[in-house]
Amino acid sequence: MRATRWALGWLALAAALPAGAQQGPVKIVGLVELSGTGATSGTNFDNGVKLAVKEINASGGILGRKVEYTSSDTQSQPQTAKALAQRAVDEGAYVVMGPVFSGSIIVSMAETRRAEIPNFTGGEAANITQQGNPYIFRTSFTQSAAMPKLARYIKDELKAKTIAVIYTNNDYGKGGRDVMLKALDAQGIKVVADVSTDPGQLDFSGAVLKVKQSGADAVFVYTNEEEAARALRELKKQAYDKPIIGETVLTSQKVIELAGDAANGAIAHVGLTADAPEPTVKAFDEKFQREYKYKSDHNGLKGYSAMYIVKVLTERLGKFDPKAFAAAMHGAKFTVKDNPGVLLDVSFDQNGDLDRQGYLTKVVNGRQEVVAILPAAGAAR
């Protein structure tokens, strides 16, 4: 009898404690490319999440619970990402962050879907959100949203009638290439050289020679960071003097660092950039550089904003319920006015794709500069 009263007393005490004291920290798991060809993207994404977690915990956590964030290295390998996703499920993750690479998330998201765990990704391949997965959410534009904007720019501003394409032969590169070819065709622009390159390729002399021999009015480069820098250096070496256009990666901080002055003049549409003129983004840039002693690329902003979206939506729901979280994400809108951590006003559709403003950037004197702000698609309707 005394033991029963003792137990009941403890139950009553537990009921009176805050939710955070009852349940302990909430587990967020990162599956990120910390080595291999995706190391630049994954490290930035991971550091962005970590910075957000540090701030969120300093301000009291989420619904009174501290965030426990752990990240594991996918080694830029899809099967490693899949195994780590299984482990995240076994560990009881509330939300999974990453991978960033399209080829990895396409494989690993089957595990988080099966366990009904929300999963944010930096992957841009169009087919990621075309498989009916209600638990996958982007932190970047889909290729299907970005490429038509670039194709219109190439036609209207560059007045190009023909173009050469250099792409990486992986899920990310092939997906972007396929979408871009359709977008170019819709604008009446003829592709006169379609050049496939390998992930991690070191020598771009042959690829650039094909571009020059094609006589194209411009070249579209769609590769990972290290390969983009090598392509730019080779284009400069072979005295290529026509417009060089890309999507997101081409004018990123890492590419500029690796390519040096060969990056000058490169143009790209980007969904996020630490050089954006918005006060929230400038504040992020200052905090990130203070924390990590280097300037983030777009992936750092992706990770940071995604973590704040987790906080905001969970607090709207008033509970930690992964299934309810995923359902509420479809059609959700987040504004900077109410939630500065999301960095830019953003909305999500029924597929998990996002909509927000984007930027046209150009590398000038070794720095990425925003030359135009492109409104969110919803703002143009």
Side-chain angles (χ1 to χ4, degrees):
M1 186 69 177
R2 185 178 298 169
T4 302
R5 284 198 300 269
W6 179 85
L8 289 172
W10 272 109
L11 286 172
L13 177 61
L17 291 172
Q22 287 184 50
Q23 299 169 288
V26 59
K27 190 167 188 62
I28 308 290
V29 175
L31 312 179
V32 283
E33 298 83 351
L34 301 179
S35 64
T37 56
T40 298
S41 302
T43 300
N44 276 284
F45 187 89
D46 187 44
N47 284 341
V49 177
K50 287 177 178 177
L51 180 59
V53 168
K54 181 179 180 180
E55 294 174 4
I56 289 167
N57 282 339
S59 65
I62 303 175
L63 295 178
R65 293 175 64 180
K66 295 290 186 182
V67 176
E68 179 185 289
Y69 176 69
T70 56
S71 55
S72 298
D73 182 13
T74 69
Q75 301 169 24
S76 304
Q77 298 296 323
Q79 291 307 314
T80 302
K82 181 180 176 69
L84 292 173
Q86 292 171 330
R87 191 169 78 185
V89 170
D90 293 341
E91 292 175 352
Y94 172 54
V95 171
V96 168
M97 296 289 187
V100 176
F101 267 22
S102 297
S104 292
I105 186 63
I106 286 169
V107 172
S108 68
M109 71 181 187
E111 303 306 317
T112 49
R113 179 181 187 176
R114 189 176 299 117
E116 300 179 328
I117 296 173
N119 194 164
F120 287 82
T121 179
E124 297 178 9
N127 63 342
I128 292 171
T129 49
Q130 294 174 355
Q131 300 182 34
N133 183 347
Y135 294 92
I136 194 72
F137 305 100
R138 290 191 194 271
T139 58
S140 61
F141 286 121
T142 172
Q143 294 163 334
S144 301
M147 298 306 182
K149 296 179 184 179
L150 265 179
R152 284 194 295 272
Y153 173 81
I154 292 166
K155 177 187 177 184
D156 297 340
E157 301 298 327
L158 301 182
K159 310 297 183 185
K161 293 181 171 58
T162 60
I163 196 164
V165 175
I166 296 176
Y167 70 96
T168 298
N169 188 21
N170 59 14
D171 288 293
Y172 162 77
K174 289 185 291 186
R177 174 256 185 201
D178 292 348
V179 175
M180 189 58 171
L181 261 56
K182 291 178 183 176
L184 291 166
D185 183 63
Q187 296 297 328
I189 301 169
K190 184 179 180 181
V191 176
V192 292
D194 188 16
V195 185
S196 171
T197 61
D198 295 326
Q201 183 165 318
L202 299 176
D203 184 1
F204 276 76
S205 58
V208 170
L209 183 60
K210 289 178 183 177
V211 169
K212 291 191 69 178
Q213 290 174 339
S214 74
D217 296 331
V219 60
F220 174 68
V221 179
Y222 197 68
T223 66
N224 298 319
E225 282 89 349
E226 288 79 3
E227 295 93 311
R230 293 170 194 142
L232 288 171
R233 289 199 301 268
E234 187 61 35
L235 285 161
K236 179 178 174 62
K237 182 179 178 182
Q238 294 194 30
Y240 186 80
D241 59 359
K242 296 177 181 177
I244 304 170
I245 308 103
E247 161 59 29
T248 303
V249 167
L250 191 65
T251 60
S252 68
Q253 185 65 28
K254 187 65 175 180
V255 172
I256 293 170
E257 291 172 3
L258 292 173
D261 61 0
N264 287 331
I267 299 165
H269 166 264
V270 302
L272 287 171
T273 170
D275 293 307
E278 281 69 27
T280 49
V281 177
K282 288 183 177 179
F284 162 84
D285 183 37
E286 291 171 2
K287 290 184 290 188
F288 191 98
Q289 291 200 53
R290 188 163 57 244
E291 184 76 15
Y292 300 111
K293 313 306 179 190
Y294 74 94
K295 188 178 183 71
S296 175
D297 71 1
H298 58 284
N299 290 292
L301 286 86
K302 291 179 189 178
Y304 181 90
S305 59
M307 190 60 234
Y308 268 100
I309 286 171
V310 172
K311 170 181 165 61
V312 173
L313 191 61
T314 301
E315 291 177 346
R316 282 184 193 172
L317 293 170
K319 60 181 178 179
F320 292 91
D321 183 333
K323 201 168 182 178
F325 180 99
M329 275 293 296
H330 297 109
K333 296 181 179 180
F334 304 89
T335 63
V336 169
K337 179 182 176 183
D338 298 324
N339 316 287
V342 302
L343 299 180
L344 296 169
D345 293 352
V346 60
S347 62
F348 288 81
D349 69 10
Q350 295 305 311
N351 295 324
D353 289 323
L354 59 75
D355 184 24
R356 64 182 167 216
Q357 72 182 38
Y359 306 90
L360 194 68
T361 63
K362 184 175 184 178
V363 181
V364 179
N365 295 324
R367 289 178 57 87
Q368 183 192 75
E369 293 187 2
V370 174
V371 295
I373 296 176
L374 307 177
R381 293 190 188 113

